Amino acid sequence: MRVALLGASGRVGRQIIEQALGRGFEVAAQTRDAANLEAVAELVDVRIFDPVDSDELGEFVREADIIVVALGVNTRAPTTLFSDVTKAVLEAMKKQHTRQLIAITGVGAGETRGHGGIVYDWFIYPLFTRNRYRDKEYQERLIQESDLEWIIVRPAPFSRKRFPGELEVHTAIRPEVVLKHIAVEEVAEFVVDQFQSSRYWNQKPFIGHP
């Protein structure tokens, strides 16, 4: 199975590469700078291009079985990165007849807003991540309105360490559900688990620890 990963040099992207290679998957990895993936250049098919480049995207998804969008931004300012890339990816997948897409958004998108714990909901979201989640909500709508097979993974706020206990997965967000943290490697493990599973297709699993 060949996986095409957009945003491969980010924290989650790097972990997805490690997990996927460890389980025997073939990986094509997109980055804007080859130096970002120098450590794995001999193990994966590194592609250097802007993720909204339609020509490069077409070639990138052409031989892939699953597309994974793991993009991130480091700005508080308004952005359209997530929706712009998703529009381009959906168009490329349509042209190349590629059917399966996994996108990583997070707590703050859709009905997960207000379910990340006091620190995240009252400090981090309004001061730091609000603008990116406005665009991620649009990204999610674009995916849901497509005719693809998709999974939208919504991780809890990232933690620096891995906490004990089983990962919670919620596809229906009840009022009492609060997920406060998740390690980056847990997100990657969950994403890679879906490559050969049909459990969460066309769903939006909210994952993390209370």
Side-chain angles (χ1 to χ4, degrees):
M1 179 176 287
R2 181 177 174 87
V3 179
L5 174 61
L6 290 158
S9 57
R11 288 194 296 165
V12 177
R14 289 172 184 268
Q15 286 290 328
I16 290 174
I17 290 174
E18 182 177 327
Q19 291 283 335
L21 291 176
R23 301 192 208 184
F25 296 107
E26 182 180 349
V27 179
Q30 176 272 336
T31 182
R32 289 187 177 93
D33 186 348
N36 292 333
L37 294 177
E38 187 175 354
V40 295
E42 295 183 1
L43 302 174
V44 304
D45 178 9
V46 177
R47 304 287 185 90
I48 301 92
F49 65 93
D50 189 296
V52 295
D53 186 320
S54 58
D55 292 335
E56 293 285 354
L57 270 174
E59 180 64 23
F60 188 63
V61 307
R62 184 171 61 84
E63 297 179 353
D65 299 292
I66 294 179
I67 313 304
V68 179
V69 179
L71 297 168
V73 295
N74 291 315
T75 178
R76 302 185 197 182
T79 181
T80 60
L81 172 69
F82 304 103
S83 58
D84 288 345
V85 171
T86 298
K87 289 175 186 176
V89 168
L90 293 175
E91 183 63 26
M93 292 178 69
K94 180 179 179 180
K95 289 180 179 179
Q96 299 297 335
H97 306 290
T98 307
R99 295 291 307 158
Q100 295 188 324
L101 171 68
I102 299 176
I104 302 167
T105 59
V107 58
E111 62 271 33
T112 66
R113 189 184 309 162
H115 292 267
I118 293 174
V119 173
Y120 183 83
D121 296 338
W122 291 92
F123 177 68
I124 296 175
Y125 176 82
L127 294 180
F128 296 97
T129 65
R130 177 183 58 187
N131 284 322
R132 72 187 65 171
Y133 276 102
R134 286 177 178 169
D135 194 46
K136 286 188 176 188
E137 287 192 350
Y138 183 28
Q139 175 191 24
E140 290 191 355
R141 289 199 302 272
L142 291 168
I143 294 169
Q144 291 176 85
E145 291 169 0
S146 74
D147 61 354
L148 301 175
E149 297 175 31
W150 52 264
I151 304 174
I152 295 171
V153 180
R154 294 162 153 181
F158 289 155
S159 59
R160 294 182 180 180
K161 64 178 181 178
R162 188 166 186 157
F163 285 76
E166 187 175 350
L167 190 71
E168 291 191 9
V169 182
H170 298 273
T171 54
I173 314 301
R174 300 184 305 275
E176 70 273 15
V177 170
V178 175
L179 300 181
K180 299 178 182 177
H181 47 76
I182 189 170
V184 172
E185 58 265 31
E186 290 180 290
V187 179
E189 287 171 7
F190 182 85
V191 169
V192 177
D193 284 345
Q194 309 319 307
F195 292 171
Q196 293 182 312
S197 172
S198 60
R199 183 173 181 180
Y200 295 110
W201 286 104
N202 295 341
Q203 298 184 69
K204 298 174 286 184
F206 178 34
I207 61 174
H209 299 276

